Amino acid sequence: MGYGSRSEMARLARAGGVVLDGVDLTDVSKRIPVTPDLPSRMQIDGQPLDPPPGLVLMLNKPLGMTCSHKEDGALVYDVLPDRWRRRDPAISTIGRLDKQTSGLLLLTDDGDLLHRVISPRRHVAKVYRAGLARPLAGTEAALFAAGGLVLEGEDKPLAPAALEVLSPTEARLTVTEGRYHMVRRMFAAVGNHVETLHRERVGGLALPENLAPGEWRLLEPGDIDAIFAA
């Protein structure tokens, strides 16, 4: 879970840094069953135990951060506790948002859930709000909804997508695929340019208004169910 090596954790426990049900757990040979309520019963160095494997969280991704473990510059993992970088299995993003896209980003160490969300067979919708360089022509909604648009450099048509016009230069786009820079390339295909892009929703899970850029929160089972409910 990233807290430290076996020897480091043994030293912490012997010093009274591990508490279970209000009692110092100094017997480092004791095995503790991993149950759903364990994080509420155990404290490590004065803080509640992190969730066991199966952790899922949402992040309001700020602009300028990259969804990568290794690239230079600011990474989305920088806003998480340092020890989470050492968890095994590792925490990964569920899909990606490019450096200049903000909004709802999901992360997990649950590989099965990750693949369920991004699987094309699941048709999990992603909703984006796009600010455009030029006014909409008025034909984009019908073109996107019809399906069949082929992006530059590809030969497989896009699935139908829903466009809601918010203003002459702003639109909300709902897609069910996750191709590379897809939203930007869709608007480029109709002669426009995306200047700002923000993801508002994944499936039935919306980004809360009170979650500021750079903030994150753990998801409850009901939140995860909401992803697939829409």
Side-chain angles (χ1 to χ4, degrees), residues 100-203:
Q100 298 308 318
T101 300
S102 60
L104 176 55
L105 181 67
L106 300 177
L107 300 94
T108 187
D109 60 2
D110 184 339
D112 289 340
L113 175 65
L114 187 155
H115 290 294
R116 284 173 61 205
V117 176
I118 67 175
S119 170
R121 295 189 298 273
R122 290 279 181 172
H123 304 291
V124 174
K126 277 79 69 176
V127 181
Y128 296 85
R129 189 173 71 248
L132 305 169
R134 289 174 286 279
L136 292 157
T139 57
E140 295 89 352
L143 177 64
F144 293 166
L149 178 66
V150 178
L151 298 177
E152 183 177 357
E154 298 189 11
D155 53 17
K156 181 181 178 182
L158 294 176
L163 179 74
E164 176 188 358
V165 176
L166 302 177
S167 78
T169 57
E170 189 174 29
R172 180 174 287 116
L173 183 64
T174 302
V175 300
T176 57
E177 298 176 280
R179 304 194 199 185
Y180 179 73
H181 287 179
M182 180 176 172
V183 174
R184 298 182 186 277
R185 294 166 68 204
M186 288 175 69
F187 282 105
V190 295
N192 215 322
H193 174 72
V194 174
E195 293 189 325
T196 62
L197 193 60
H198 179 80
R199 184 155 71 187
E200 300 179 326
R201 182 180 293 268
V202 174

Side-chain angles (χ1 to χ4, degrees), residues 48-125:
L49 178 71
D50 287 339
L55 174 150
V56 189
L57 61 104
M58 68 160 60
L59 166 70
N60 187 350
K61 178 191 170 296
L63 295 173
M65 284 192 164
T66 304
C67 296
S68 169
H69 284 283
K70 298 180 180 179
E71 292 186 29
D72 294 333
L75 308 179
V76 295
Y77 302 98
D78 293 341
V79 303
L80 305 179
D82 287 343
R83 63 182 177 273
W84 285 14
R85 293 184 180 222
R86 301 186 292 271
R87 284 176 67 108
D88 184 16
I91 295 175
S92 299
T93 62
I94 301 179
R96 290 190 170 199
L97 296 178
D98 67 51
K99 194 172 183 179
Q100 298 308 318
T101 300
S102 60
L104 176 55
L105 181 67
L106 300 177
L107 300 94
T108 187
D109 60 2
D110 184 339
D112 289 340
L113 175 65
L114 187 155
H115 290 294
R116 284 173 61 205
V117 176
I118 67 175
S119 170
R121 295 189 298 273
R122 290 279 181 172
H123 304 291
V124 174

